[in-house]
Amino acid sequence: MLIAGNHGDEYEGKLALINLARTLQRADVFGRVIIVPSFDFPAFKAGRRLSPLDDRNLNRVFPENALGSPTEMIARYVSDVLLPVADVVIDLHFGGFSLDYVQCALIRSGRNEEETSELLELAEVFGAPVILITRGSAGGGAITLNAVGREL
């Protein structure tokens, strides 16, 4: 699953995924590809980082309440319907109007060493100059690597 637009003012990922969807050929696909170019469409439409419907940050409400605010409902749908059918999720983020980030690939460590190695290989293919492997907690990464896999 390829997603972008978690924040409404992040346009680069949306454009990349729309271009991919237009050019992707059936012969190049083995399995299922789910492309969601604008996760938070109300925020995108308003050109805002947060949803104009409830002033919530979709990236911070997972998995939340299926009967809650509009942003919470989107998060719950993603958690309950989309994520369970995906083997790999690539979530594209950018700085939007207000932020300037270092280009990087952020991955969670896998369930075992082999899975982590496969995820690292995928991140290297992405081509970002910095790769951060996290344990999935909010505190930051375990190992920071450059694109060729040498520890920084």
Side-chain angles (χ1 to χ4, degrees), residues 2-13:
L2 306 161
I3 57 177
N6 210 315
H7 298 107
D9 66 343
E10 297 175 342
Y11 297 106
E12 300 89 339

Side-chain angles (χ1 to χ4, degrees), residues 50-120:
L50 308 178
S51 174
L53 303 178
D54 56 12
D55 211 32
R56 301 290 307 269
N57 181 341
L58 178 58
N59 201 50
R60 302 286 182 262
V61 299
F62 283 93
E64 281 305 330
N65 181 357
L67 301 175
S69 74
T71 301
E72 291 173 335
M73 287 189 257
I74 293 169
R76 180 58 103 180
Y77 178 82
V78 170
S79 295
D80 289 355
V81 177
L82 295 179
L83 293 180
V85 299
D87 292 323
V88 174
V89 177
I90 298 175
D91 182 8
L92 301 173
H93 283 267
F94 298 86
F97 294 130
S98 60
L99 304 168
D100 191 14
Y101 289 124
V102 171
Q103 292 180 358
C104 66
L106 174 65
I107 63 173
R108 282 191 180 167
S109 54
R111 293 177 288 243
N112 54 52
E113 269 188 52
E114 181 182 351
E115 192 172 271
T116 299
S117 180
E118 290 173 353
L119 290 168
L120 180 57

Side-chain angles (χ1 to χ4, degrees), residues 21-72:
R22 288 181 178 154
T23 60
L24 191 63
Q25 299 295 311
R26 176 67 180 116
D28 297 329
V29 176
F30 301 94
R32 172 184 12 214
V33 176
I34 301 169
I35 300 174
V36 184
S38 190
F39 239 22
D40 192 344
F41 189 73
F44 164 68
K45 197 170 174 186
R48 295 183 49 192
R49 193 153 186 84
L50 308 178
S51 174
L53 303 178
D54 56 12
D55 211 32
R56 301 290 307 269
N57 181 341
L58 178 58
N59 201 50
R60 302 286 182 262
V61 299
F62 283 93
E64 281 305 330
N65 181 357
L67 301 175
S69 74
T71 301
E72 291 173 335

